Amino acid sequence: MCGACRARRASARETTTRAEFCAPCRDGARATTTRATRVADGASFDVVVCGAGAAGTSFARTYLETTARGGDGDGDGDGDGDGARGARLLLLDRGGCAKTVERVERVTRRASVYGAREDALGALEALGARTATASVAACDAESKTLTLDDGARVRYGALCVATGATPRCPLPEASDGAVDAHEVRDVESADALARRLSSMTATASADSDSKTKRIAIAGNGGIALELVDALCVRGLRARGLEACELVWLVKHGEVGDAFFDVDAADFLLRALDARRRDGEAKDDDGADVDWDSPTPERGAGRSTKKRARGRESGAAAGPDWLDRFRAKSAADDARAPLSRMKLRVLKNVCIREARKDANTGVNVLTLSDGTTIEVDAVVAAAGVEPRCDWLDEVAAPRSKSDGGILVDACMRTVGPYGDSIFAVGDACTMSARASNPETPWFQMRLWSQAAQTGAFAAKVAAGVCDADALGFNFEIFTHVTRFFGLKVILLGLYNAQKLDDVPANEVTTYQRESLADATYVRVLLVRGRMMGAVLVGDTDLEETFENLILDGVDLSRFGPSLLDPELDLEDYFD
Ligand SMILES: Cc1cc2nc3c(=O)[nH]c(=O)nc-3n(C[C@H](O)[C@H](O)[C@H](O)COP(=O)(O)OP(=O)(O)OC[C@H]3O[C@@H](n4cnc5c(N)ncnc54)[C@H](O)[C@@H]3O)c2cc1C
């Protein structure tokens, strides 16, 4: 153990996160944390939580804290107080680590920046949980019994399903299994991609005559945006990177469509381009951007069927995954100059066929527009699918639209076992709570929502919270993030989510932008009332707009001057 880590371990802190250790000690810590702790066959618990990602850990912590303070504690959520104080809770995870989401910075009353901490699963025993490294293989909801992968059977009073989601594979089902495909979900998969990138840049650097090395990234959400930013905008200290190309395959007409509307996406692209140009002026590294837009094709974007995988992923990587990825990708060449990959964006395409050429070893992708590209690797960044194969769909019905476990407004599964089975985080679909068109809140699979749904379900299970969800924010959607180095705040129904049934003439949007100070503001109003806003850069409008959305003040009289920087909007709400 290195001196710094020894000092940290010796310090008085109750838990120490793996991220604080140097690499060898971190790996040692992981080995310790993943050592199997088994549950005895026939053991029985008031509550069993499956999955120690952000959602499951939040459920376990909140439930233990609540029952320790004298909640109901019997897991039936009826508030009758017939449960034992300090209920017996088992937290299971196949990965051996527990993720805890923490608020890093409060931005408005409802919006915050979150971070995630990773502890050994066993650290939760200090709170009174029993923990075990095990995979749940099956559930008999009638007899309230789980079967674990080692054959042990565990009885529960209440079950919390928090097994997260798995990356959607952008390759068609019939693709050649030999294709070099990567995903980004957990720390291991992000590390594997970093290693692949490292070996590619090393080859490109050693053999300057070799063909351009190429990676295709398929997807248009947050992970794709972050990878493009890391590899093509901010760059890495890796020799040979400039000889590589990133081909970004976007099934929509605009990049970032999973988050934004066309105008906001367009602004972000121009900001990205400006940043790259700025970087090029400084670095003179000559990276190119080629914004290619093939003709849209009917049916494009449908090939997102799941492919069988040899590996089961763990908890979603934390917000620091990109820093770790950057460090690992450049690990062999820390003193190399900062360089960036060339970027080619192909819009309105998806992968129709993927195979590995047996002679050249190159992966050949046939796109929906009929063109083919040869790549060294493909990265899947096409969103996630809830995962819970071990829970019968009759016992816990699924959403037809995204496959998540359907829950009611209290996070109880719909169907016959709602009194004993909860589902939270990425694994669940909250149609009941999200369906009200009057409420500017909707579900998005994010840290904040994973942690919130876990804590809320725990309070319901402990009998101290009901559908009113007092103390929880299901009133307004908020998300604070960064894309291409710019702060992005999303409020309410910022992209007209849930407004399909509202006549177009009742919806108004206003926007203003400035490339010079890299700010973009777009608001959406329904019948004069603000329902959503996108804020890019330092606009200082988030608090005001959040209040305007929540208060539902009629703003019709302002028209486009609503975004006039001289207008003091704070005077118009209480
Ligand atoms: C690379 C990446 C970057 C992201 N960046 C952001 C971001 O910047 N901001 C943001 O808000 N969100 C981000 N997200 C999304 C966010 O991470 C997820 O919404 C959130 O972590 C979901 O938490 P969860 O607990 O529901 O699921 P998970 O974190 O996936 O946890 C599920 C847990 O269940 C365990 N498990 C699964 N099956 C079983 C089984 N059968 N038996 C036992 N255990 C099992 C797994 O090991 C895992 O630990 C990102 C996601 C990824 C992948």
Side-chain angles (χ1 to χ4, degrees):
M1 189 188 293
C2 75
C5 290
R6 199 176 299 121
R8 280 190 195 106
R9 288 238 167 116
S11 74
R13 300 180 51 175
E14 193 181 290
T15 54
T16 312
T17 68
R18 288 198 322 110
E20 290 172 277
F21 295 118
C22 69
C25 295
R26 206 163 41 223
D27 293 342
R30 175 165 278 268
T32 314
T33 60
T34 52
R35 197 184 304 135
T37 44
R38 305 181 76 157
V39 191
D41 187 25
S44 177
F45 294 86
D46 299 323
V47 180
V48 176
V49 184
C50 296
T57 305
S58 166
F59 182 107
R61 283 182 182 280
T62 309
Y63 189 82
L64 290 165
E65 283 163 15
T66 307
T67 52
R69 274 192 236 119
D72 181 27
D74 60 356
D76 63 6
D78 62 4
D80 61 6
D82 60 5
R85 294 278 158 90
R88 283 165 39 81
L89 178 144
L90 171 68
L91 176 59
L92 290 170
D93 194 283
R94 64 176 174 216
C97 292
K99 282 263 160 82
T100 300
V101 168
E102 293 167 327
R103 178 180 284 122
V104 174
E105 182 196 344
R106 190 183 275 279
V107 176
T108 65
R109 252 190 316 151
R110 304 289 200 293
S112 294
V113 178
Y114 292 93
R117 202 182 72 215
E118 196 173 291
D119 297 312
L121 188 57
L124 269 90
E125 302 227 343
L127 295 176
R130 170 87 162 81
T131 61
T133 305
S135 198
V136 180
C139 173
D140 179 346
E142 186 60 40
S143 66
K144 298 187 177 179
T145 307
L146 295 176
T147 305
L148 308 187
D149 52 352
D150 62 1
R153 277 169 311 150
V154 180
R155 297 227 337 122
Y156 60 80
L159 173 69
C160 173
V161 182
T163 40
T166 194
R168 219 174 263 151
C169 182
L171 305 183
E173 195 107 335
S175 298
D176 178 351
V179 169
D180 188 0
H182 293 257
E183 62 188 26
V184 184
R185 176 68 190 172
D186 51 11
V187 170
E188 284 75 18
S189 54
D191 284 358
L193 177 61
R195 281 195 299 275
R196 182 70 186 92
L197 187 73
S198 249
S199 73
M200 220 175 83
T201 52
T203 322
S205 156
D207 178 7
S208 53
D209 292 335
S210 71
K211 275 173 66 183
T212 301
K213 298 278 169 198
R214 195 172 286 132
I215 290 187
I217 180 164
N220 201 10
I223 294 174
L225 288 166
E226 286 188 289
L227 269 176
V228 170
D229 188 35
L231 297 174
C232 306
V233 184
R234 288 158 70 193
L236 299 173
R237 295 198 180 282
R239 263 176 246 280
L241 195 67
E242 64 288 348
C244 302
E245 183 182 51
L246 188 71
V247 184
W248 189 3
L249 305 176
V250 175
K251 77 173 181 181
H252 308 102
E254 291 302 328
V255 303
D257 202 76
F259 273 102
F260 305 111
D261 67 298
V262 174
D263 298 325
D266 178 60
F267 172 79
L268 264 187
L269 271 190
R270 282 181 287 125
L272 175 144
D273 215 10
R275 246 185 101 195
R276 281 176 61 93
R277 260 195 263 284
D278 196 32
E280 276 155 26
K282 284 186 204 124
D283 302 334
D284 199 25
D285 67 13
D288 306 321
V289 185
D290 179 2
W291 306 110
D292 201 351
S293 310
T295 322
E297 186 184 283
R298 273 183 166 283
R302 297 242 180 87
S303 65
T304 51
K305 286 185 208 145
K306 199 165 138 192
R307 222 163 52 118
R309 275 190 193 78
R311 200 184 76 86
E312 291 177 326
S313 52
D320 58 347
W321 77 276
L322 209 55
D323 294 335
R324 185 180 159 102
F325 171 80
R326 285 168 59 93
K328 291 243 163 191
S329 308
D332 294 333
D333 224 345
R335 280 172 298 167
L338 199 64
S339 62
R340 291 176 280 159
M341 277 174 116
K342 297 181 183 71
L343 174 63
R344 182 149 52 111
V345 185
L346 302 181
K347 297 177 193 166
N348 295 307
V349 291
C350 59
I351 301 170
R352 187 189 282 160
E353 193 188 303
R355 64 180 175 85
K356 188 148 197 151
D357 187 311
N359 299 320
T360 60
V362 169
N363 307 287
V364 182
L365 307 181
T366 305
L367 306 182
S368 49
D369 63 358
T371 57
T372 57
I373 49 169
E374 293 187 350
V375 298
D376 295 271
V378 190
V379 182
V384 292
E385 287 171 351
R387 77 180 143 198
C388 192
D389 300 344
W390 49 270
L391 184 60
D392 181 54
E393 293 198 19
V394 177
R398 308 299 207 268
S399 151
K400 287 199 173 54
S401 60
D402 67 9
I405 301 170
L406 283 168
V407 292
D408 67 11
C410 284
M411 312 307 299
R412 295 176 187 280
T413 50
V414 305
Y417 301 103
D419 59 340
S420 56
I421 307 181
F422 294 82
V424 296
D426 279 9
C428 77
T429 297
M430 304 174 67
S431 332
R433 195 167 271 287
S435 60
N436 182 354
E438 300 299 316
T439 314
W441 185 90
F442 61 95
Q443 182 182 10
M444 193 185 272
R445 291 187 165 89
L446 297 169
W447 288 111
S448 49
Q449 294 200 7
Q452 162 154 297
T453 53
F456 172 50
K459 294 224 170 198
V460 173
V464 299
C465 225
D466 57 19
D468 287 346
L470 284 179
F472 293 94
N473 171 31
F474 292 111
E475 301 157 335
I476 177 170
F477 172 87
T478 61
H479 183 48
V480 184
T481 185
R482 292 190 90 80
F483 288 128
F484 304 142
L486 296 173
K487 178 161 85 179
V488 175
I489 300 179
L490 307 173
L491 297 174
L493 309 181
Y494 66 90
N495 206 9
Q497 295 89 348
K498 307 204 298 188
L499 298 180
D500 289 349
D501 294 337
V502 178
N505 62 355
E506 295 182 6
V507 180
T508 315
T509 59
Y510 301 121
Q511 72 183 60
R512 75 158 201 245
E513 65 164 68
S514 159
L515 264 183
D517 63 2
T519 58
Y520 174 91
V521 180
R522 181 176 186 272
V523 294
L524 182 148
L525 296 93
V526 175
R527 294 180 284 277
R529 289 174 168 81
M530 195 182 290
M531 292 297 279
V534 178
L535 307 173
V536 180
D538 292 316
T539 63
D540 213 16
L541 286 169
E542 48 273 21
E543 192 85 56
T544 308
F545 283 5
E546 181 181 290
N547 286 326
L548 287 173
I549 294 170
L550 285 169
D551 286 6
V553 185
D554 186 349
L555 302 163
S556 315
R557 67 196 135 142
F558 295 109
S561 69
L562 190 60
L563 297 187
D564 183 344
E566 301 301 316
L567 183 70
D568 198 354
L569 278 166
E570 287 184 37
D571 294 343
Y572 295 92
F573 60 84
D574 7 300

